[in-house]
């Protein structure tokens, strides 16, 4: 008997590994983006090398926990999203701060990465639907795409706030309006739900990050309110814990079996 094959089969998901898309899903998603932005910036100000190590370790541990789970669990999934938020922010910031790449080119680079992942995922699996995340390969594509969208969103948010001089509040308004477009398109005009979902998902990152930066950064830097990144990260994390605990207790965000398909 091939023990490796048996072991791999044992780790295959038995149900969809992502939550049902509800209003609370979007609330927590935006909170994780803000928390990731604020936490990464706060840690980097203490020690950028230590921040990088902590971000990487947290990301690896979260992915290990998530992939070893065979079905969706709120605490596992959202911890993974939170760690991706922190690590994705650090990845985007490293391209700009460490490598010196301007926000414009880094935005284009991460956009190409996201588009390439979508293309590869669709060519491999024939679908980008989150209802189809029922194999390890699809889950791998999903998390690579999520990580890339966080990095892209960080770069886009910084581009609009600083390079384009919209400031953090102006950027937040811009992305709030932008995220309403796919929502309205799906609700009223028959936009493909997969296209609508991923369009909105990508935009949650710059939206949440812009709001977090607006609260956390000093007024002298793109019009922030000056409450500090550390405080914003702690408050956001607290709200996330409360909401995820609610989901874990009520289990009303688990996808129904009928929603699990390859389309």
């Amino acid at each position: 008997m091939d023990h490796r094959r048996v072991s791999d089969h044992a780790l295959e998901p038995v149900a969809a590994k992502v939550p049902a898309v509800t209003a609370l899903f979007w609330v927590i998603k935006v909170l994780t983006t803000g928390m990731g932005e604020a936490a990464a910036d706060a840690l980097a100000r203490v020690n950028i090398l230590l921040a990088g190590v902590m971000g990487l370790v947290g990301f690896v541990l979260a992915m290990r926990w998530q992939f070893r789970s065979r079905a969706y669990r709120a605490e596992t999934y959202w911890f993974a999203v939170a760690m991706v938020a922190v690590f994705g922010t650090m990845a985007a910031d490293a391209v700009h701060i460490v490598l010196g790449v301007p926000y414009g080119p880094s935005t284009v680079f991460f956009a190409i990465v996201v588009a390439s992942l979508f293309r590869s995922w669709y060519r491999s699996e024939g679908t980008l639907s989150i209802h189809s995340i029922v194999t390890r390969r699809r889950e791998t594509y999903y998390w690579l795409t999520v990580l890339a969208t966080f990095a892209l969103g960080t770069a886009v948010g910084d581009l609009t706030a600083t390079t384009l001089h919209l400031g953090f509040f102006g950027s937040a308004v811009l992305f709030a309006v932008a995220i309403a477009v796919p929502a309205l398109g799906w609700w009223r005009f028959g936009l493909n739900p997969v296209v609508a979902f991923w369009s909105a998902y990508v935009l949650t990152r710059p939206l949440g990050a812009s709001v977090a930066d607006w609260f956390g950064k000093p007024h002298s830097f793109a019009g922030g309110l000056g409450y500090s990144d550390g405080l914003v990260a702690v408050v956001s994390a607290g709200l996330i814990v409360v909401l995820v605990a609610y989901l874990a207790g009520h289990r009303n965000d688990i996808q129904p079996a009928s929603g699990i398909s390859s389309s």
Side-chain angles (χ1 to χ4, degrees):
M1 180 181 294
D2 189 335
H3 294 289
R4 181 179 300 174
R5 182 173 299 175
V6 171
S7 177
D8 289 344
H9 178 73
L11 290 176
E12 281 289 318
V14 296
K17 295 287 293 291
V18 298
V21 180
T22 63
L24 199 53
F25 171 91
W26 294 112
V27 171
I28 300 176
K29 176 60 171 63
V30 172
L31 283 171
T32 60
T33 65
M35 185 281 299
E37 175 78 12
D41 289 348
L43 289 171
R45 271 196 296 276
V46 175
N47 186 298
I48 192 168
L49 178 60
L50 177 62
V53 172
M54 291 177 64
L56 178 60
V57 170
F59 171 72
V60 170
L61 290 177
M63 288 296 101
R64 178 177 174 79
W65 191 17
Q66 171 67 17
F67 273 87
R68 290 184 67 84
S69 176
R70 298 189 67 199
Y72 167 73
R73 293 170 55 191
E75 64 275 21
T76 307
Y77 175 85
W78 287 111
F79 177 68
V81 173
M83 291 301 99
V84 169
V86 175
F87 186 67
T89 299
M90 291 178 175
D93 287 345
V95 170
H96 176 71
I97 297 172
V98 179
L99 300 181
V101 179
Y103 289 126
S106 65
T107 296
V108 173
F109 169 75
F110 286 121
I112 292 172
V113 171
V114 170
S116 298
L117 283 168
F118 278 136
R119 182 174 183 273
S120 178
W121 182 358
Y122 188 79
R123 285 170 62 91
S124 172
E125 305 300 311
T127 179
L128 301 176
S129 172
I130 64 166
H131 301 301
S132 69
I133 311 299
V134 293
T135 69
R136 293 195 72 187
R137 184 165 63 182
R138 290 179 180 183
E139 188 178 13
T140 300
Y141 273 118
Y142 175 80
W143 286 108
L144 286 174
T145 303
V146 168
L147 176 61
T149 63
F150 271 93
L152 171 61
T154 299
V156 171
D158 289 335
L159 174 69
T160 58
T162 58
T163 304
L164 300 182
H165 306 294
L166 291 182
F168 295 125
F169 179 76
S171 295
V173 172
L174 170 66
F175 294 120
V177 172
I179 204 172
V181 173
L184 184 62
W186 169 77
W187 179 47
R188 300 293 294 178
F189 300 104
L191 179 63
N192 181 282
V194 175
V195 173
F197 171 82
W198 282 112
S199 298
Y201 194 94
V202 170
L203 288 167
T204 59
R205 176 55 185 176
L207 172 60
S210 296
V211 172
D213 281 337
W214 180 48
F215 277 103
K217 296 296 188 292
H219 184 73
S220 59
F221 182 44
L225 297 178
Y227 288 107
S228 86
D229 291 323
L231 179 61
V232 172
V234 169
V235 172
S236 300
L239 291 173
I240 292 167
V241 168
V242 170
L243 294 176
V244 172
Y246 169 83
L247 292 177
H250 289 75
R251 299 177 61 81
N252 53 7
D253 63 332
I254 297 176
Q255 291 192 41
S258 60
I260 301 171
S261 67
S262 61
S263 60

